[in-house]
Amino acid sequence: QVQLVESGGGLVQPGGSLKLSCDASGFLLDYHVIGWFRQAPGKEREGISCISGADDSTYYTNSVKGRFIISEDKVRHAVYLQMNNLNVEDTAVYHCAAVWASDAQEICETPGPHAHWGQGTQVTISS
């Protein structure tokens, strides 16, 4: 059974950093794209960064390029999102998702109905 569990969220000041973790089980990372998505109150869900288990290619949406780094540890069966220089616009619930696919950008833009989702972790940026 596919299971995704996010952790690492919290409250930080603008300019601070957080590292989110997505612990995955029940499937092989090599055949999946794992992505980080976020949803702020009153806004649509946004795919912000994805990584392909097939070739380790990555995708970042423009708003996080240069600030966020996605990585994957196939031994620990986990995907991480290092978030730096956070600002108030980054406040949201962050979810990870797994899709049986190989194109990171495609999944970030359209995860599709067969995506498996975690419960999410709250990230709040505030002074």
Side-chain angles (χ1 to χ4, degrees):
Q1 181 177 357
V2 174
Q3 188 172 11
L4 300 166
V5 179
E6 304 95 336
S7 62
L11 170 66
V12 297
Q13 292 185 340
S17 297
L18 280 174
K19 185 175 183 178
L20 304 183
S21 299
C22 174
D23 292 314
S25 61
F27 64 98
L28 292 174
L29 292 179
D30 301 79
Y31 302 112
H32 286 74
V33 170
I34 307 296
W36 285 98
F37 298 77
R38 67 186 180 188
Q39 188 161 20
K43 294 187 177 181
E44 292 188 356
R45 184 182 64 201
E46 175 187 25
I48 57 172
S49 184
C50 292
I51 185 166
S52 170
D55 60 8
D56 294 328
S57 59
T58 58
Y59 168 81
Y60 298 92
T61 195
N62 286 338
S63 63
V64 307
K65 276 182 183 177
R67 300 189 298 126
F68 291 9
I69 301 171
I70 191 170
S71 61
E72 185 173 63
D73 187 334
K74 292 181 180 176
V75 174
R76 295 180 180 270
H77 222 72
V79 175
Y80 306 100
L81 187 68
Q82 176 67 45
M83 306 188 296
N84 301 318
N85 194 21
L86 288 160
N87 56 62
V88 294
E89 288 75 28
D90 296 315
T91 295
V93 177
Y94 285 68
H95 297 266
C96 64
V99 182
W100 186 51
S102 59
D103 190 318
Q105 179 173 353
E106 178 182 347
I107 298 306
C108 255
E109 292 174 347
T110 310
H114 303 293
H116 298 275
W117 295 90
Q119 291 298 309
T121 185
Q122 176 70 46
V123 172
T124 303
I125 313 304
S126 176
S127 56

